[in-house]
Amino acid sequence: MLFLKSLILGLAIAAPLGPIGALCINRTLERGFRAGVAGGLGTALADALYASLAAAGFAAFASLLARVQLPLMVAGGVFLLWLGLTGMRPRPPRPAAEVGARDLIGTTLATFALTMTNPMTILSFAALFAGLGLAAASGPGAAVVVVVGVFTGSMLWWGLLSGGVALLRHRLPPAFALWVARISGAVLIGFGLWALASAARQLAGAG
């Protein structure tokens, strides 16, 4: 039961189509299934890290979130703006076999950093973690089950999403990937501006 709840948490955090989903779809269209899964892996690893911190002590985890929310908003906002602007200039589509290990590692690191600095992901994770009753789980064994469940649920979603996009990739006109890149870039920029505006409001309120 604990594993199932954790798997549902991983799916629930990953499924909403936000900046990370837009980025993974774009990478899949540009570079193929492996690139999309690599992006999902970065997000799943970050989700698992949050799960491990929360499972180790949810009260301390919630307190930590309150302290780091503002700097994460600023860092995440700047990172989203950079990703959005660079995403407006997509690479031409190419077979997944030609994607090098360096590209895959770079994609994984980018989505890991994006997930770690995305305040909405963090706050949603904390709310769902408590809502599913996972905050009551205790002991090393329970912590491992929670982390594995969250990672599995997250990777399940990203595998399904990347696989679906990859299947449609060669059936769509070439211009489709370009427009997806532009739209996903605009989505990333929009989320980045929202994060920076939220941080500015918090600073103004604190002042």
Side-chain angles (χ1 to χ4, degrees), residues 1-69:
M1 189 64 177
L2 181 60
F3 177 80
L4 180 59
K5 285 184 177 181
S6 304
L7 188 144
I8 291 172
L9 173 61
L11 280 169
I13 291 296
L17 186 57
I20 300 167
L23 183 64
C24 285
I25 290 173
N26 187 26
R27 293 294 183 269
T28 304
L29 286 171
E30 286 181 2
R31 309 174 195 178
F33 174 74
R34 290 196 300 163
V37 171
L41 176 61
T43 299
L45 288 172
D47 290 342
L49 178 57
Y50 279 129
S52 65
L53 293 173
F58 185 74
F61 177 67
S63 175
L64 174 64
L65 291 184
R67 291 197 299 270
V68 302
Q69 183 179 0

Side-chain angles (χ1 to χ4, degrees), residues 171-188:
R171 302 178 186 179
L172 298 169
F176 182 80
L178 176 61
W179 279 106
V180 168
R182 289 173 176 171
I183 292 171
S184 65
V187 168
L188 293 171

Side-chain angles (χ1 to χ4, degrees), residues 101-154:
R102 185 174 180 180
D103 287 331
L104 298 178
I105 293 172
T107 300
T108 300
L109 291 176
T111 53
F112 178 83
L114 180 57
T115 305
M116 291 298 295
T117 57
N118 187 350
M120 284 307 297
T121 299
I122 300 166
L123 296 176
S124 297
F125 182 93
L128 287 168
F129 193 92
L132 288 171
L134 296 174
S138 61
V144 170
V145 171
V146 169
V147 172
V148 173
V150 169
F151 178 81
T152 302
S154 185

